[in-house]
């Protein structure tokens, strides 16, 4: 079982991600934006972070940069972007920030779990 931090400003999307992961036996903590996720990540260690890109307060790219640059214990933690953004430019920004992978919404729970199993 892995500890996973799911970050999305959409409550229904967080619930969908959370249910998919919990049904596969993972322990899931939810955050509604990057700022909240960063606070949680400072206090707890997660095996994986799944984040949306477009969020208020702190977006997914800023969250990835903050986690990678300010939390040394997350240096090698996989971070997946789960977003409606599919442009090459945005994917490049994500990779430069330190994202491990990219899943475009809408997603199927099977696809999400298959990508997660590859990076964990």
């Amino acid at each position: 079982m892995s500890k996973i931090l799911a970050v999305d400003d959409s409550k229904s999307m967080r619930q969908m991600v959370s249910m998919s992961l919990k049904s596969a036996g993972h322990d899931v903590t939810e955050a509604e934006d990057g700022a909240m996720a960063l606070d949680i990540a400072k206090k707890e260690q997660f095996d994986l972070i799944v984040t949306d890109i477009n969020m208020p307060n702190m977006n997914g790219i800023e969250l990835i940069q903050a986690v990678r640059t300010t939390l040394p214990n997350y240096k090698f933690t996989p971070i997946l972007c789960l977003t409606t953004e599919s442009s090459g430019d945005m994917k490049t920004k994500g990779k430069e920030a330190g994202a491990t992978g990219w899943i475009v919404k809408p997603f199927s729970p099977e696809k999400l779990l298959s990508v997660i199993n590859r990076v964990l």
Side-chain angles (χ1 to χ4, degrees):
M1 176 180 85
S2 299
K3 277 185 67 161
I4 300 174
L5 180 58
V7 192
D8 200 303
D9 57 325
S10 157
K11 186 171 196 229
S12 58
M13 186 53 69
R14 278 198 316 274
Q15 288 172 331
M16 210 159 83
V17 169
S18 191
M19 274 181 7
S20 302
L21 299 175
K22 285 178 179 171
S23 69
H26 297 293
D27 178 15
V28 182
T29 300
E30 296 177 20
E32 62 191 44
D33 62 40
M36 180 190 271
L38 187 60
D39 282 345
I40 294 170
K42 285 176 182 170
K43 297 176 188 122
E44 287 183 65
Q45 181 67 41
F46 293 91
D47 302 308
L48 170 73
I49 298 172
V50 178
T51 182
D52 185 16
I53 295 298
N54 298 311
M55 298 179 290
N57 303 321
M58 177 187 274
N59 70 36
I61 301 290
E62 293 164 339
L63 170 63
I64 296 166
Q65 287 169 331
V67 165
R68 293 293 192 220
T69 58
T70 65
L71 304 176
N73 51 331
Y74 279 95
K75 188 172 182 174
F76 300 109
T77 303
I79 302 177
L80 295 176
C81 297
L82 179 62
T83 176
T84 53
E85 292 282 350
S86 59
S87 73
D89 183 44
M90 193 55 89
K91 286 181 182 173
T92 301
K93 282 184 183 159
K95 278 202 173 43
E96 286 170 355
T100 313
W102 200 273
I103 303 167
V104 177
K105 294 176 191 172
F107 71 98
S108 71
E110 298 77 25
K111 180 166 179 13
L112 177 65
L113 290 168
S114 124
V115 172
I116 285 173
N117 290 334
R118 277 206 304 271
V119 299
L120 284 176

